[in-house]
Amino acid sequence: GKDLENSWFSFYDYVFVATEFHKQLIMDRNGVDGSNIYVTGIPFYASKLREKYLPANKENIVIFPHRCNDEKHPELFDALAKEFPTYKFIKSIAICPTRDKYFNLLAKSKIMVSFADQETFGFATVEAAALDNYVIVPDKLSYKETIPEEYRYKCIQDKCCELDIPEVVRRIKYFIDNEDSISFNYNTIFNYEN
């Protein structure tokens, strides 16, 4: 794949990516200067998603909306689940064979957690937030551009690890303890409508 990608950067006049993080990743991994790579963001229409999948009747569900690959750390999500026996911890990929089922699950879940070590935009996180999930993500990767700081936790090491679980537990407890007083309005926190 690397040779194919390198050929794209040499013969395409323009390459468009969603974040500065993604542009820098391409430049670092492929040894290109980035002069033909442009950061454009990704159009995301939360209002249309919210119209179709009205976030209501929230249940005590914590969602893991990622692939179950090593760089997403599903094992950390499993370890986290042991801390909250009254909540359902669901890996969406395991039970959502269609986009419709996935969005319906996001509409009724309350919290979305990421332990990702690879993320060039974080579309699943933005979708979860659009459907009124309290998002908790690492303070790195593209999340630094797409998710406000108050929803990001500092990783103890370069990669997400077991040492990060206490901080994520603390943030989930904060949400649970203050759920009724937390004012979460997607459109004022995340501005992707444009």
Side-chain angles (χ1 to χ4, degrees):
K2 184 178 180 185
D3 290 336
L4 175 62
E5 286 181 7
N6 281 337
S7 69
W8 293 340
F9 303 124
S10 63
F11 70 79
Y12 282 129
D13 292 330
Y14 307 101
V15 175
F16 301 100
V17 296
T19 61
E20 287 290 339
F21 172 79
H22 195 183
K23 178 179 179 177
Q24 192 62 50
L25 183 69
I26 291 168
M27 291 167 51
D28 292 347
R29 287 191 178 170
N30 298 78
V32 296
D33 69 4
S35 60
N36 65 338
I37 303 173
Y38 298 89
V39 178
T40 61
I42 291 180
F44 180 72
Y45 302 99
S47 57
K48 292 188 188 295
L49 189 61
R50 292 174 64 84
E51 283 172 23
K52 186 169 182 182
Y53 303 96
L54 180 66
N57 302 318
K58 292 290 196 174
E59 298 177 23
N60 290 342
I61 297 172
V62 179
I63 191 82
F64 183 82
H66 303 298
R67 304 179 310 277
C68 289
N69 292 51
D70 291 348
E71 75 271 6
K72 301 294 186 181
H73 294 290
E75 77 285 357
L76 298 178
F77 185 75
D78 292 340
L80 182 64
K82 296 173 185 169
E83 301 288 329
F84 298 93
T86 62
Y87 269 66
K88 291 181 198 171
F89 278 66
I90 299 175
K91 295 175 189 162
S92 63
I93 197 101
I95 66 164
C96 297
T98 67
R99 296 284 291 164
D100 189 57
K101 287 187 187 266
Y102 168 70
F103 287 129
N104 279 312
L105 177 62
L106 286 182
K108 68 181 183 178
S109 60
K110 289 182 179 178
I111 303 168
M112 184 240 101
V113 174
S114 175
F115 290 103
D117 282 332
Q118 187 278 330
E119 195 66 76
T120 56
F121 179 73
F123 222 92
T125 303
V126 175
E127 291 167 341
L131 294 174
D132 291 348
N133 280 261
Y134 187 80
V135 298
I136 302 171
V137 300
D139 187 24
K140 60 182 185 170
L141 312 169
S142 62
Y143 292 133
K144 289 186 140 201
E145 295 173 64
T146 60
I147 304 300
E149 186 175 6
E150 61 265 29
Y151 301 99
R152 302 187 317 246
Y153 62 90
K154 300 277 186 215
C155 293
I156 302 297
Q157 300 176 352
D158 288 341
K159 294 185 177 261
C160 290
C161 67
E162 307 83 35
L163 299 173
D164 299 325
I165 291 176
E167 176 60 18
V168 176
V169 166
R170 186 185 71 74
R171 287 171 179 263
I172 291 174
K173 284 182 179 175
Y174 171 79
F175 171 78
I176 291 170
D177 292 344
N178 298 286
E179 181 178 357
D180 293 333
S181 62
I182 289 176
S183 176
F184 187 87
N185 182 323
Y186 175 84
N187 289 320
T188 59
I189 296 174
F190 304 97
N191 184 16
Y192 294 110
E193 292 291 335
N194 301 338

